[in-house]
Amino acid sequence: PAEGAKPAEGAKPAEGAKPAEGAKVVPEKYADFKLPEGVKADPKHLESFHGIAKKFKLSQEEAQELVNFEAGRVKDFADQHVKAWGDTVAGWLKTAKEDKEFGGANYDASVEIAKRSIAKFGTPALSALYDQLGIGNHPEVIRYHYRAGKTISEAEIVKGRTGGGSDKTLAERIFPSAAKTA
C-alpha cells in the first residue's frame, strides 16, 4: 500500500512483518486480563469476554480498558447496595429505639428480655443469622422476641425454700414456747 495508507479491512500483514507503528494489533489469543485489587471474576465470564473482544477486534489494551471499566462499575454497584442495606438496617434500629411498646428509655431492658426469648427458643445459628443480615434490628423481630421474652419472665415460678426436715410437730412449730413447758 502507499505510504500512510491503511491496509484493507481483514488484510493480514505479510508473515514476519511487524504492524505499522500505531496500528491496532488484535491478538490471536488474549493474555489474562488484570483485575483491580480485591476484584474477583468468574473465569467463565472472562473466557467469554475473550470471544467478545475478538469479535469486535479489540487490542489487548482496549479489551483491558473495558475489563477495568466493568470491574469499577460492578464494584460501585455493589458498594451502593451495601450502603443502601446498611442505611435500611440503621433505619430499623432508629425506629425500634423509638417504638412505643419497647423503645425509648426501656429499649435496653426490652432488648435484654428479647435476648432471653432467643436464648430459650432460638439457636446460635438464628442469632448469627440475625447479626449477619442485620434483621435483628427490625422492629417487628424485636417486638416478637420482646413479647415472647415477657411471657417467659411472667411464667417463671418463684420457688420458696423447702421444709428443713424438722422433727417438731406442727403445734411445736406454731407455738414454740408451749412446747418448752410441756
Side-chain angles (χ1 to χ4, degrees), residues 9-182:
E9 184 75 26
K12 294 183 180 180
E15 195 168 317
K18 293 185 178 184
E21 191 175 317
K24 181 184 341 190
V25 178
V26 178
E28 261 321 296
K29 180 162 175 40
Y30 289 91
D32 289 339
F33 296 113
K34 294 178 181 119
L35 297 173
E37 192 170 325
V39 174
K40 294 180 182 174
D42 185 332
K44 287 186 245 173
H45 291 148
L46 288 174
E47 188 60 38
S48 177
F49 181 68
H50 282 248
I52 293 169
K54 189 76 169 168
K55 176 182 174 184
F56 288 102
K57 299 179 181 170
L58 301 177
S59 68
Q60 180 73 37
E61 294 77 21
E62 291 169 329
Q64 181 65 55
E65 199 170 321
L66 283 175
V67 167
N68 294 347
F69 171 78
E70 181 65 3
R73 191 189 68 75
V74 168
K75 184 180 180 313
D76 288 347
F77 181 79
D79 289 347
Q80 288 173 2
H81 279 77
V82 167
K83 183 186 179 316
W85 183 250
D87 291 348
T88 297
V89 171
W92 290 341
L93 181 59
K94 182 180 184 295
T95 301
K97 286 184 173 185
E98 296 169 352
D99 189 86
K100 291 180 180 166
E101 181 178 355
F102 59 82
N106 299 324
Y107 179 77
D108 290 336
S110 297
V111 167
E112 289 306 313
I113 292 170
K115 285 180 180 178
R116 281 194 296 238
S117 162
I118 295 169
K120 180 155 180 94
F121 300 115
T123 63
L126 178 65
S127 294
L129 178 71
Y130 284 167
D131 291 341
Q132 289 167 354
L133 297 178
I135 58 175
N137 288 335
H138 194 287
E140 293 306 318
V141 171
I142 295 172
R143 182 179 331 283
Y144 171 80
H145 286 291
Y146 168 71
R147 289 176 178 175
K150 278 180 51 177
T151 63
I152 294 168
S153 300
E154 292 167 1
E156 290 177 356
I157 299 172
V158 178
K159 297 180 181 178
R161 294 181 299 183
T162 58
S166 172
D167 292 335
K168 296 180 182 178
T169 65
L170 179 60
E172 290 172 329
R173 285 182 284 171
I174 295 173
F175 305 106
S177 59
K180 290 182 184 177
T181 58

